[in-house]
Amino acid sequence: MADPSSYRPRPGQIPDSPGVYRFRDEHRRVIYVGKAKSLRQRLASYFQDLANLHPRTRTMVTTAASVEWTVVSTEVEALQLEYSWIKEYDPRFNVKYRDDKSYPYLAVTMNEEFPRVQVMRGHKKKGVRYFGPYGHAWAIRDTVDLLLRVFPVRTCSAGVFKNAARTGRPCLLGYIGKCSAPCVGRVSAQEHRELAEEFSDFMAGRTGTYLRRLEKQMTEAAEEMEYERAARLRDDIGALRKAMEKSAVVLADATDADLIAVAEDELEAAVQIFHVRGGRVRGQRGWVTDKVEEITTGALVEHALQQLYGEETGDSVPKEVLVPALPEPVEPVQEWLTGRRGSGVSLRIPQRGDKKALMETVARNAQQALALHKTKRASDLTTRSRALEEIAEALDLDSAPLRIECFDISHLQGDDVVASMVVFEDGLQRKSEYRRFQIKGFEGQDDVRSMHEVITRRFKRYIADKEKTGEWGDEGAQEVAQDAAQDDFRDASGNTLTEDIGRPKKFAYPPQLVVVDGGQPQVAAARKALDELGIDDIAVCGLAKRLEEVWLPDEDDPVVLPRTSEGLYLLQRVRDEAHRFAITYQRTKRAKRFRSSPLDDVPGLGDTRKQALLKHFGSLKKLRSATIDQICEVPGIGRKTAETIAVALAQAAPAAPAVNTATGEIMEEEPDIMGSGGEPATAGAPDERRGQET
């Protein structure tokens, strides 16, 4: 626990102007981000008698080891910078709303030549129109099924669309009239886009125009005695009305607004949002957060507005936002919202009428969401706390291991050897800090040596970062830091980690417990790696799969936890997650190796020229038998490149002959080494998909 007076800035150092400040802990991790109209006054409030501080604020300032700030020109700039830093650093003491579910949206992909209607989750993409969010995906599909009678827009995937275009036969929806079948040319791209625009307009609330138009067409058809057409239009009108009934009218004046309600107690807060478009509730979503700082309802609303509109622009920000309490001050927030929308936004508390009544409904939803969350969370918190206490007792640790890192090795008969590192904090997955390793120290299969290498590389980075801050005093720290600087690590998305630009590295934060997937040999290798680096304050254990025994270093007998133990269950979850993450990476590498080609080793030869070579020669076999002069005939291939290609193909062993899996026939021609769109062909390789790792 740090003494705030040890890092308190001198009063004259802090400017009396708007800005954003960051508190960092001893590992240089940002633990809190805040903004202030006056940095001097705000920061002074943190450095008073600890007894006068709110308990959560007291915990934050005693956890911190330093504070820094950035001066901005206006409070709006401070609001924008605060949002950016909270998103970037993920500070543990800031209010962060967690979606209680991944809400589905109805999306129309207007960025494609033939727009597609589909259910989408996750981050929003540019050029796609979104409607919702909805509580359930089936609600979207029911609505779309009704609307396709009137607006037969494409709903199929790219693969189905291309296959229909190739065969000249539409899918089932094209035959039953629920798709205009642009894949086979029944409508042009422009006509299909107009259908998609009309579909989007109807979903946006402009329903009266289409109903009146269809009713007029139905009347004209009846007068002309085209009764079948009139009946079809009647059914279309019924489908539209049924779709409209799924979202009841709540505001009579066709208002576009978002209503935000907050339910809170001393520890947690729940936020509910109703999205009203055209007077109808078009979507609903909810968030729950821990109140890790002393905060008012207005400040909770401000954080909710940042999360809700921080990535939105244009019409995604409504003209009117109704809230239970206004942020203080309200002007910068309102100006920020106006800037996101591009026109005026009204931020206010409803006082009377339908809007106040609807706000009361939203508030009741927030109260129910908070009550449900607390019912679930109470059991979860108790279980996780008991599990960590059981682990600490079984392994004879000084305190509960709040951060656990688990390592696993994966390979296929000694090929594509990789390792994974997963992180659990307070018994919960911390996927943003997962890491993947390629074993580089040796070739072949040796799980013990691999484990030693991975533990060494991970904690070399930890020592390197400690050495930079002057916290590591061993004589060999500088040498370790140099070794770590030359090492490369990959995050969960496969990106190589390099020197950061001001943000703390994830490897700089040490665990209290290292778990390895394996028994005595793997545990001994991990302990040896830590001892060689001079690290003696991190516990190590292993979990063997066969009997689920917990092994400790230098112990001949394992620790056997009861099968009903919550501690054992948590260790199993950590081990299984590390195994899943490792095998996913190993399969990705194996699939990539299967798709490799001798041309991949030719320096400077990209996908475009590879495609040109295959298009010219037809197959790798014919390219291998071509002369240098013949290779030079390919556009973009010079003589020097042609010579390099010829050498690379001559040195590479011929690929195994392709086999027709349906007949068992050995095909004479080698398969293309490039698939459509410039992607490597996958003949003979399994269809591998990398899971959502982060």
Side-chain angles (χ1 to χ4, degrees), residues 422-599:
V422 302
V423 179
F424 276 59
E425 288 189 352
D426 195 21
L428 298 175
Q429 296 173 345
R430 186 79 168 179
K431 290 195 173 185
S432 63
E433 302 200 12
Y434 285 14
R435 291 294 177 266
R436 312 187 302 189
F437 304 80
Q438 298 183 48
I439 302 303
K440 304 186 296 186
F442 61 94
E443 298 290 338
Q445 174 183 350
D446 190 333
D447 287 359
V448 175
R449 287 181 63 189
S450 299
M451 186 63 70
H452 181 276
E453 177 182 330
V454 170
I455 297 292
T456 300
R457 288 166 57 189
R458 183 266 181 265
F459 286 97
K460 272 186 179 180
R461 182 62 63 92
Y462 164 59
I463 294 174
D465 288 334
K466 296 277 282 185
E467 193 271 341
K468 288 180 183 177
T469 60
E471 299 176 54
W472 195 266
D474 287 354
E475 295 179 0
Q478 187 172 0
E479 180 181 350
V480 170
Q482 291 173 351
D483 291 343
Q486 297 173 358
D487 205 350
D488 71 288
F489 300 82
R490 298 179 184 274
D491 64 12
S493 301
N495 301 316
T496 300
L497 299 180
T498 56
E499 288 296 321
D500 58 17
I501 48 173
R503 69 174 64 92
K505 294 184 179 180
K506 304 292 175 62
F507 281 110
Y509 202 65
Q512 285 81 47
L513 175 64
V514 167
V515 180
V516 299
D517 183 7
Q520 235 176 346
Q522 287 82 1
V523 173
R527 184 71 265 173
K528 180 181 178 182
L530 292 175
D531 290 341
E532 290 173 352
L533 295 173
I535 299 174
D536 57 4
D537 57 349
I538 296 176
V540 179
C541 75
L543 186 61
K545 288 188 181 71
R546 189 169 66 90
L547 299 175
E548 303 293 18
E549 299 166 330
V550 180
W551 289 91
L552 298 176
D554 303 322
E555 295 289 340
D556 295 330
D557 298 316
V559 176
V560 179
L561 293 173
R563 288 289 178 172
T564 57
S565 165
E566 292 294 342
L568 177 60
Y569 178 61
L570 177 57
L571 289 176
Q572 289 172 329
R573 283 181 55 215
V574 173
R575 188 269 317 279
D576 293 344
E577 177 68 1
H579 180 69
R580 179 202 67 81
F581 194 45
I583 201 169
T584 300
Y585 183 34
Q586 195 274 332
R587 286 172 176 170
T588 302
K589 283 183 62 65
R590 188 171 80 242
K592 184 177 180 181
R593 179 165 56 83
F594 285 164
R595 295 193 297 263
S596 64
S597 157
L599 295 180

Side-chain angles (χ1 to χ4, degrees), residues 101-105 119-124 130 136-137:
K101 62 184 75 173
S102 177
Y103 288 95
Y105 286 82
V119 177
M120 277 192 177
R121 298 176 187 263
H123 296 293
K124 294 186 176 180
Y130 291 89
H136 304 280

Side-chain angles (χ1 to χ4, degrees), residues 623-636:
L623 175 59
R624 183 179 282 115
S625 62
T627 65
I628 292 177
D629 290 336
Q630 290 173 330
I631 297 176
C632 289
E633 295 175 2
V634 180

